[in-house]
Amino acid sequence: MKWIFGGIFKVLYRIKPHNRENEVFDKPFIVCANHTSMLDVGAIVMSMKNQIRFMAKKEAFKVPLLRGFIKSMGAFPVDRKGGDVGAIKKTISMLNEGECIGIFPQGTRIPYVNPRETEVKDGVGMIASRAGVGVIPVFIKNKSGKLKIFRRNNVIIGKYISPEEIAFPELSGRQKYKAISEYIFDKICTLGESWEGTKK
């Protein structure tokens, strides 16, 4: 299902992955990327060999045609009425079971804006810390500032960030989660900036 649906998507949106050698296969991890379009999920899923799981509201799984597509893209249902706590607990549980999870630190889609000028949420820092897993930063780069059909979309995969690198033992609580999230997002932004003018 992934290669039927995703293969068509990859061709239409001209998805080009880079630095795929940075992906790890012997441990669970979180993929973190900038977020400009709801289609970013497909770009990440089709650029990595691991099955990357993303949360989606449970109501989407009740639509027959949509259910098959989003399941093939690695989505897992979350009850949004239960609040963020339930979603976080489920995500941590899946990481503990060996799954690889995709999270957008910005928390929402922000197209056409320099990502460094956007707010970063604490959630990814909390999840990475409590699950004790590392992170692979990813930058989705294109000329338009948003994933668009028939336009070249580069998916730049960064080097693995180990749990030790983001431990921040001198910090605790929300201060720690915020520091982890900001550290990860800085790595994401640096990927996009270092790519500028060097590769197309």
Side-chain angles (χ1 to χ4, degrees):
M1 291 290 286
K2 172 182 176 180
W3 294 110
I4 291 174
F5 288 120
I8 296 172
F9 172 86
K10 189 174 183 179
V11 171
L12 290 178
Y13 286 89
R14 299 183 62 194
I15 304 299
K16 177 64 176 178
H18 302 274
N19 304 336
R20 297 183 79 176
E21 68 277 5
N22 287 332
E23 189 172 358
V24 298
F25 300 96
D26 60 342
K27 57 180 73 72
F29 57 83
I30 301 172
V31 176
C32 291
N34 58 314
H35 198 17
T36 64
S37 166
M38 62 183 296
L39 299 172
D40 294 339
V41 170
I44 293 171
V45 168
M46 292 312 302
S47 296
M48 306 191 78
K49 294 181 180 179
N50 282 286
Q51 175 71 76
I52 309 301
R53 310 293 303 279
F54 287 86
M55 65 178 69
K57 59 183 181 180
K58 68 175 186 178
E59 289 78 8
F61 287 80
K62 297 179 180 179
V63 182
L65 292 177
L66 181 60
R67 179 174 63 240
F69 177 73
I70 62 176
K71 286 181 70 175
S72 72
M73 290 291 103
F76 62 93
V78 169
D79 185 1
R80 298 302 297 270
K81 293 180 181 179
D84 291 339
V85 173
I88 289 173
K89 285 183 177 179
K90 182 162 186 175
T91 302
I92 292 172
S93 175
M94 293 180 71
L95 286 163
N96 290 336
E97 293 170 1
E99 299 275 11
C100 298
I101 304 293
I103 299 175
F104 298 105
Q106 292 160 292
T108 188
R109 300 183 296 274
I110 309 178
Y112 314 118
V113 175
N114 182 340
R116 283 206 184 271
E117 299 174 0
T118 63
E119 181 183 1
V120 179
K121 307 298 184 182
D122 299 345
V124 66
M126 177 187 295
I127 292 170
S129 179
R130 292 189 177 182
V133 299
V135 174
I136 292 184
V138 169
F139 195 95
I140 301 173
K141 190 171 185 66
N142 42 57
K143 291 183 178 180
S144 65
K146 181 179 179 179
L147 204 76
K148 291 185 177 181
I149 194 168
F150 302 132
R151 301 284 185 89
R152 177 68 171 270
N153 295 286
N154 296 296
V155 179
I156 308 160
I157 302 171
K159 293 184 178 180
Y160 175 75
I161 302 170
S162 70
E164 293 74 23
E165 189 175 347
I166 52 176
F168 296 110
E170 72 281 6
L171 302 176
S172 62
R174 188 170 182 180
Q175 187 179 19
K176 179 175 184 174
Y177 303 148
K178 182 176 178 62
I180 294 172
S181 295
E182 290 179 346
Y183 182 89
I184 292 168
F185 200 66
D186 176 69
K187 293 289 187 180
I188 293 169
C189 294
T190 299
L191 275 176
E193 293 162 354
S194 62
W195 194 258
E196 188 71 48
T198 60
K199 296 181 181 180
K200 304 296 183 182

